[in-house]
Amino acid sequence: MRILFVHGTGVRRERFDTLFKQVSESLRSRCPDADIPPCYWGDIHGATLGADGRSIPGYHQTRGAPAGAAPPDQQTAEWQLLLTDPWCELRVLAEIAGGEQYRSPGVRAPGREVADRLAELPPEMPAADPLAALLSATGLREHYAAALSAVAGSEEFAKACARAEDAEASGEVTAATARAVVASALASAGESAFCTGSERDKLVNMLIERLGGTGRGVLGKVGAVLGTLALRVTTQPALNHWRGPITTGATPAVGDILRYQARGGPLREYVRQAVAAAPGPTVVIGHSLGGIALVDVLALAAAEQAPLPGIELLVTVGSQAPFLHELGALTSLAPGEGLPIGFPPWLNIFDRQDLLAYQAQPIFPADVRVTDHEVSSRQPFPLCHSAYWKLDSVYDRIVAALEGHA
């Protein structure tokens, strides 16, 4: 069995190497005899900005932050707000906490202890340190030191610590501080973060413990203030923050799709050759734009009555192919046209928080070859667009589909 992985939008060599290592190891643990070759196309067929982003209004004034409609899940919405403004919880704590009270000489306020412990956290740790290992695994280690420094030096943190005059208030400051550090690192990493909601929460709880806290990141007062706001917050400020980063050479997610729509022939031929490179049973897995290219390649070949031999299963993950076909913009199929005879079974995996993921079954309602499967990384967009590959449920569903088609 050969399993070919075709990466998606915005992926370049360094990112691909990390992603392919994760995907290939996870697949090989379930399919130990599989041949899993890489299919990297980013450098040759990916988009670049020829004029250094000068067409983007406000490009040099914006900084990375998450975009997308406010999700129904409050926790996800809260993190969407934190990624836009990592200091928001500390700012609220600073405003709603009681004023400083008189204390006997030598007795420090609990909040001051939080500041001391944050200052003592080392920005660099041995690789064997559990926190360092998790930061590396999520793509955040190179952003951690700057996040620590940014939080420790912020006016919001200093004021929140100064006004935390009891154990309950200092516990909330501890939790908000840990969340601010993680949010700052995630915001800085942007699309390069490789982190699920569970990993994010684990990072927060590890920091809470190192800051002397005992809770699990509970924010009573702040939660009451920000929880509803997070669900109601307008999407436009976040979209404005992402307008620059989403179209730069570092994060060319939209650019790759647009380039493919205009000049996709060379990429389709590259993918077709990779698919046909070896005989025998083959599973093709496409992430994002990689899924569009695979759908086009397989549909065009089948329509020409020359389907590529040995394709057992097509898997698309976080892909826009169904949406493009609904728009009448999919190269391989005319508007409203069904999948041709000879097209393989198709498993389409999506996360509803992923603004670049769409459902295929409703577009081909009568085609038993098409199956949708929903997963959740508990991350907001755009982090959820990469987090699929950290979810066991993705790999388990692929294996289940293979066994069903065996």
Side-chain angles (χ1 to χ4, degrees):
M1 173 69 70
R2 187 170 67 117
I3 303 176
L4 184 71
F5 174 72
V6 183
H7 70 83
T9 56
V11 174
R12 298 300 181 259
R13 172 54 70 179
E14 184 177 357
R15 173 72 176 138
F16 175 78
D17 291 342
T18 300
L19 182 61
F20 182 70
K21 182 176 185 292
Q22 174 74 37
V23 173
S24 60
E25 288 179 354
S26 296
L27 288 170
R28 194 165 282 115
S29 69
R30 293 162 172 82
C31 305
D33 298 326
D35 174 29
I36 309 176
C39 182
Y40 175 65
W41 54 263
D43 288 341
I44 301 173
H45 302 291
T48 57
L49 288 172
D52 192 31
R54 289 194 290 271
S55 65
I56 307 168
Y59 167 64
H60 295 289
Q61 287 75 46
T62 57
R63 62 192 179 105
D73 177 73
Q74 180 167 320
Q75 187 182 52
T76 302
E78 288 172 355
W79 276 94
Q80 190 170 32
L81 192 61
L82 275 165
L83 290 173
T84 303
D85 179 7
W87 328 120
C88 61
E89 292 178 338
L90 288 169
R91 188 177 300 113
V92 172
L93 275 177
E95 295 301 324
I96 67 177
E100 294 189 59
Q101 301 173 0
Y102 171 77
R103 287 184 175 271
S104 301
V107 178
R108 293 177 60 80
R112 303 286 187 182
E113 300 293 336
V114 179
D116 290 345
R117 287 191 288 268
L118 182 65
E120 293 169 358
L121 289 183
E124 298 292 337
M125 296 161 285
D129 185 293
L131 178 58
L134 186 54
L135 287 167
S136 296
T138 54
L140 299 180
R141 189 166 184 182
E142 65 182 275
H143 305 279
Y144 173 70
L148 270 184
S149 177
V151 173
S154 68
E155 181 181 351
E156 294 89 342
F157 174 67
K159 187 180 291 187
C161 288
R163 304 193 74 177
E165 290 292 333
D166 55 42
E168 180 183 357
S170 69
E172 288 197 322
V173 170
T174 299
T177 300
R179 284 157 67 95
V181 171
V182 174
S184 180
L186 285 168
S188 177
E191 184 87 5
S192 67
F194 199 29
C195 182
T196 66
S198 296
E199 289 172 318
R200 177 199 66 208
D201 295 346
K202 187 174 181 180
L203 284 169
V204 169
N205 289 322
M206 291 173 77
L207 282 172
I208 288 174
E209 291 177 2
R210 296 188 184 206
L211 290 171
T214 57
R216 302 288 294 177
V218 177
L219 289 155
K221 296 175 183 176
V222 176
V225 174
L226 292 181
T228 301
L229 174 61
L231 289 170
R232 294 182 179 179
V233 66
T234 175
T235 62
Q236 193 57 51
L239 289 169
N240 287 341
H241 278 298
W242 265 106
R243 185 168 188 177
I246 206 169
T247 48
T248 62
T251 314
V254 172
D256 283 355
I257 295 173
L258 294 176
R259 180 183 175 116
Y260 177 81
Q261 289 298 100
R263 298 178 178 86
L267 176 54
R268 284 192 293 275
E269 178 59 23
Y270 181 85
V271 171
R272 189 198 67 78
Q273 291 182 14
V275 173
T282 299
V283 177
V284 287
I285 302 174
H287 182 213
S288 192
L289 178 54
I292 299 174
L294 283 171
V295 170
D296 278 339
V297 166
L298 297 176
L300 288 169
E304 294 169 359
Q305 298 184 347
L308 295 174
I311 305 300
E312 298 281 321
L313 178 68
L314 163 67
V315 181
T316 55
V317 180
S319 183
Q320 306 84 48
F323 181 61
L324 290 180
H325 187 40
E326 184 175 4
L327 290 175
L330 192 64
T331 300
S332 57
L333 297 175
E337 183 181 8
L339 296 169
I341 296 173
F343 194 89
W346 177 6
L347 170 63
N348 179 64
I349 298 175
F350 71 96
D351 182 334
R352 68 179 57 242
Q353 307 301 339
D354 181 5
L355 301 185
L356 295 175
Y358 295 87
Q359 297 177 98
Q361 254 180 302
I363 306 303
F364 304 99
D367 197 325
V368 296
R369 295 172 293 179
V370 181
T371 303
D372 282 331
H373 180 67
E374 182 175 357
V375 298
S376 174
S377 67
R378 297 175 47 245
Q379 287 280 48
F381 181 80
L383 303 178
C384 57
H385 190 60
S386 297
Y388 292 102
W389 308 112
K390 286 291 191 75
L391 300 177
D392 287 337
S393 57
V394 168
Y395 301 101
D396 292 342
R397 186 63 183 85
I398 292 172
V399 171
L402 272 174
E403 294 173 347
H405 293 301

